[in-house]
Each structure stands twice: as C-alpha cells, then as structure tokens.
Amino acid sequence: MAASREFLYVGVFFFSLFCIVSWKFSIIGVTDAVKLVGRGLLILGVLTWMSSCLYPKLKSYLFPATPPSVEGPAEDAHSILKQKKARREQQHQHSVKSDEYVEAVVKPRQEAVLRKKEEDFYRVTGQSWKLSEGFTLGGEEQTMANTDGDDETPNQRAARKRKELEAPDQAPVLTQLPKEKKIITLPNEPSEDTNGVVKIALRCPSGRTVRRRFFKTCRSTVLLDWLHKSGYSPTRYALYMYPRRPLLTRSDLSMEDVGISAHTTLNVEEKDPPTR
C-alpha cells in the first residue's frame, strides 16, 4: 500500500505540473485541458488499482518468503532428549560388543602367549616337571581305602599294607628270551708277502674305498661281516663283482670257490628289489 501511495503522489505531482505549464503557455484550450485532466485521473486511478492488486502477487512470486519455524521450545527439548537417548543406546551397544571381543578373543590370546612363554622357560631351565598336573598327597591311599571292604578296621588295613610292603617283589617272568647280540670278529689281516693272500677293495656308495687282505681259504661270509663293520648292513646292501653280478656268499664256500683268487674290487650297492 505504501508503494501505491507513493506512485499516486508522484503521478499527481507530474500531472499538476503538466497542467500548469500547458495553461501558462496556452498550448491547449480550457476544454481540452479539462478533458486531459479527466483522462489523466482515470488512467492514474486504473494504474493505482493495478499496482495495488498486482504488486503483492509479483512480490510473492519473485521473492518467496520462508515460513517461520513452527516448533516451539517444548518440541526442541523433546528432540534433544531423543537424540541423547539414542546416543546412550548406541554407546552401550558399542561397549557391549567391545567387552565380548575382549572376553572371546583378546584374553584367550594373551593367556595362550603367557602359557607358551612359561612352558619355554621351564623347558630351558630344566623344570619341565612343573608343567605336569602332579598328584594330590594321599590320593593313592584314599583310592585304596575306598576299594577296601567296609568290614575292615583301620588296624587290619594298616597290617595288610605293612605285609604288602614287606613282601619281596617277585621278579618279572620273561616270556621271551632276549636275543643275543652278534659280535662281529674278523680274522687277523695277513701280511702282503704271505702265500695265498688276496687283496680286496670295497667301493662304497659314498665314494669311499676300503681295502683289506684275506686268505683265499677264508669263508666267503667273512666279506659280509667286513661289509657290516664298514657301516653297510647286509640286509640292505650286497656285494657285486665285475662284470656286474652278485657275489655268492655261503659259509661252506671259500673266497677262492666264489671266484676271488687274485686282487679284486667289489662294489657295494643296494639290493635289487625282489621280482614277483
């Protein structure tokens, strides 16, 4: 409304000024001046009405006003309380989860690490007996007492235990006789200038070569004893001659009988797997 009034005042001022100037210089006549004034007032009224009606709509369309906040102080306090409650619940859930993780994961890991360090310490210091659970003092006696009859008095029980302790321990009965350990003895090594002497060399799988002198009349099984003393079990290794063929060794055959009549080199090889 203030804008329309200002517009009206400005229009009246300029129209009055125009009428005075026109009247003074006689640009138009009196009748024409009256008609002009009437038309001007009519146009001015129409413009004033249009400005008063259209100006608020244009202003609301071009410059929309933000609606004022409807929430009051009571609603603000209620929303603040709800936010605080939600924060407390969320914090409580996080604390519960952290406690469960500590109990289920962190503490077992720490206990396992401490237990491992303790075991290593006792093993290094030679106190591994501390790692065992041990026995309760009097536990064995209590167990024996529980197995005894109810009619037995304490004196009778003590006398029976004393007799059991005084009775000599019976030696355990051996169901099988222990096997006698075989002692390998080789015949004395003859000198080189002795008649009937052969020099034998064993070529081992490790590349080592062992040499020794024997009489031709020695049993061929002596070579197996020599092989055993050299570190190769006859159950796994065998002697082979050149060209490659296994050496026949029997207690009733001498070295000369199996073909060793001169200096010979024997190869030590693993036995061939049995053929089906």
Side-chain angles (χ1 to χ4, degrees):
M1 294 298 293
S4 61
R5 288 177 183 177
E6 292 177 359
F7 185 78
L8 178 61
Y9 294 155
V10 172
V12 171
F13 174 76
F14 280 105
F15 184 75
S16 301
L17 183 62
F18 176 76
C19 291
I20 293 170
V21 172
S22 299
W23 181 264
K24 185 176 181 180
F25 292 99
S26 300
I27 299 175
I28 58 176
V30 178
T31 305
D32 295 333
V34 173
K35 291 180 180 179
L36 182 61
V37 170
R39 292 173 183 173
L41 291 175
L42 181 61
I43 294 171
L44 185 61
V46 173
L47 292 175
T48 303
W49 176 78
M50 291 178 64
S51 63
S52 62
C53 293
L54 298 177
Y55 180 77
K57 294 182 179 180
L58 291 174
K59 184 178 180 181
S60 62
Y61 179 75
L62 296 176
F63 306 100
T66 56
S69 179
V70 183
E71 296 182 356
E75 295 181 356
D76 293 341
H78 182 65
S79 62
I80 291 172
L81 290 176
K82 288 178 64 177
Q83 291 177 359
K84 289 183 178 180
K85 185 178 179 181
R87 290 195 192 99
R88 284 197 298 268
E89 291 179 355
Q90 189 175 9
Q91 187 175 5
H92 177 69
Q93 292 177 359
H94 287 311
S95 61
V96 170
K97 289 182 180 179
S98 63
D99 294 339
E100 291 178 354
Y101 179 78
V102 169
E103 293 292 336
V105 179
V106 177
K107 285 187 178 180
R109 287 181 181 176
Q110 293 177 352
E111 292 176 358
V113 171
L114 292 176
R115 194 181 307 111
K116 184 67 169 57
K117 290 182 179 180
E118 186 179 6
E119 291 177 358
D120 295 341
F121 173 76
Y122 286 145
R123 288 193 180 95
V124 170
T125 56
Q127 302 177 7
S128 57
W129 55 271
K130 291 185 178 181
L131 301 176
S132 62
E133 296 180 358
F135 301 96
T136 306
L137 292 176
E140 185 178 358
E141 296 179 357
Q142 186 68 23
T143 304
M144 293 177 63
N146 293 333
T147 57
D148 294 338
D150 296 336
D151 299 336
E152 190 176 10
T153 61
N155 293 334
Q156 293 175 352
R157 190 182 305 114
R160 180 175 55 79
K161 290 181 179 180
R162 186 167 55 252
K163 289 181 180 179
E164 291 177 356
L165 294 175
E166 292 176 356
D169 296 335
Q170 296 180 357
V173 179
L174 297 177
T175 57
Q176 294 181 356
L177 295 176
K179 295 182 179 180
E180 295 182 359
K181 189 175 181 180
K182 182 180 179 181
I183 300 175
I184 299 175
T185 56
L186 297 177
N188 296 328
E189 186 176 5
S191 58
E192 295 183 0
D193 55 354
T194 306
N195 294 328
V197 174
V198 291
K199 189 174 183 180
I200 302 175
L202 293 183
R203 189 176 296 166
C204 303
S206 61
R208 182 170 60 101
T209 302
V210 185
R211 295 179 176 83
R212 198 179 191 281
R213 293 183 297 274
F214 294 94
F215 285 105
K216 297 179 183 180
T217 56
C218 290
R219 293 178 301 172
S220 58
T221 54
V222 175
L223 297 175
L224 297 179
D225 296 339
W226 183 33
L227 176 66
H228 201 175
K229 288 184 71 68
S230 300
Y232 298 93
S233 175
T235 58
R236 183 177 178 183
Y237 293 90
L239 299 174
Y240 291 86
M241 300 182 67
Y242 183 81
R244 190 178 186 278
R245 57 187 177 88
L247 179 66
L248 182 62
T249 54
R250 289 192 328 201
S251 59
D252 58 343
L253 296 177
S254 64
M255 293 188 184
E256 192 173 5
D257 295 336
V258 297
I260 301 177
S261 58
H263 299 326
T264 307
T265 300
L266 301 176
N267 295 323
V268 180
E269 299 179 9
E270 290 189 11
K271 290 184 177 181
D272 296 332
T275 57
R276 295 182 180 180

